[in-house]
Amino acid sequence: MHLRIIVVFFFVSYNSHGSAQSLPGNVQYKKGDPVPLYANKVGPFANPSEQYEFYTLPFCAPKEEERKGLHLGEVLGGDRMMKSLYSLPFLVKFTARTLCSYTLQPKEIEMFQRAIDEDYFFELIYDGIPVRGFIGEKKKEIVHGETTAAYHLFTHYIFSISHNGEKILGVRWEHDPFDYLDITDKDKEVDVHFKYSSKWLKPSPGTTHLLGDTPADQEHLQIRWFSILNSIGTVLLLTGFLAVILMRVLRNDISRYALMEQGGDSAMAEESGWKLVHGDVFRAPQHPELLCAVLGNGAQLLCIVLGVLLLALLGVYSHYNRGALLVAALMLLSVTSGVNGYVAATCYAKLDGLRQPLALALSNGLLLAPLFLVGAALNTVAVAYGSSTALPLGTVLVLLLLLALVSLPLNLLGAAAGRALARPLAVPC
């Protein structure tokens, strides 16, 4: 219990960047207290990795841009929160309040049509809770005997907010199905009036938050556990089949070699079959530097996976702690570099390698170099398309400093320890 508290406290303290209020449930409100609602992002529902800032679509935006401070995990996840025009005071109910009214130009109508074609969703953040919904819908209508597509832009948002009298527990979004704007004709201007309503609901006693408590969320969790168990069962079944086949082959070889030895033809038994493995398994590899680098990076990846799973068991990740998984993987990648250097250096010392600098460079770059190249390419594409997943220059510098000041020194220390503690390889044959 104490270990869990320490790990969670350390991780959340780093990840929150001094913004503990970003986690819902940490703030108590009184009736009428303002609760900011931030506009975050939009993107195709079928491709969550393609994200854009909320106001890249022609929604009505505030005149002055006020952005929320983000920690590293939120930036890596593509979050770009900006204060919106919505006003949802605590425990204040209202219906059909006007958000804004303006005229949509043909170019803006075309943008909304493309967003509806690609099934765009939006994400708002209310008291640290993500609120997601869709831009509009595309319906087929029959006009004069011909089937045409009608574009409907949702203009009335309804926020159903759950609370316990002092804290916000959850938020759900829906739209008024009878209140929409037909934007099928993109060649002429059209006036749009956005409205929103606020409903405050009190859940059953004992409810701490809504995410994961609804039947739909429980069904999703059950399906996910079923998939995991199904995958484990499939792997175990295939492993059992393979083990049976290998045992049968091995038993037949042992029986044949026993008969050969009884017949006095032991030389033939040594010239073929799996017994020749002992002559090759301890042979020095042609590229020991590459072999040791692969072993070191494999050990590092194993430690990263185990670390991520351990943090999951400790309850560090949640719906509200945005970007926690990315930060955890990044921190573990840096911290476990010492394991990489130790394993690679130990292996190389056992093989009596003479090119230590090359082995050290390979152990450092075998994993990081491909990650850097792929990340740089993806970030370049994101910048070219104006995606919110594009990392700012400051974040890129932070990542590079993290690798240079944490990952590299730990790798060098691990390598030095590995060389100092390595023992000669005792080959049995």
Side-chain angles (χ1 to χ4, degrees), residues 94-112:
F94 54 85
T95 303
R97 175 183 291 180
T98 300
L99 178 68
C100 63
S101 300
Y102 61 102
T103 301
L104 284 175
Q105 303 299 322
K107 185 177 179 180
E108 296 174 334
I109 295 175
E110 187 176 356
M111 293 175 65
F112 274 126

Side-chain angles (χ1 to χ4, degrees), residues 134 162 193 218 239 286 358 398 402 419:
F134 289 96
S162 297
H193 306 279
Q218 292 294 336
T239 303
Q286 294 182 355
L358 177 60
V398 168
L402 184 64
R419 286 196 300 268

Side-chain angles (χ1 to χ4, degrees), residues 325-351:
L325 181 61
L326 293 174
V327 174
L330 183 61
M331 294 297 103
L332 290 171
L333 176 65
S334 301
V335 172
T336 56
S337 295
V339 177
N340 181 0
Y342 179 83
V343 174
T346 302
C347 176
Y348 197 64
K350 288 180 178 294
L351 296 176

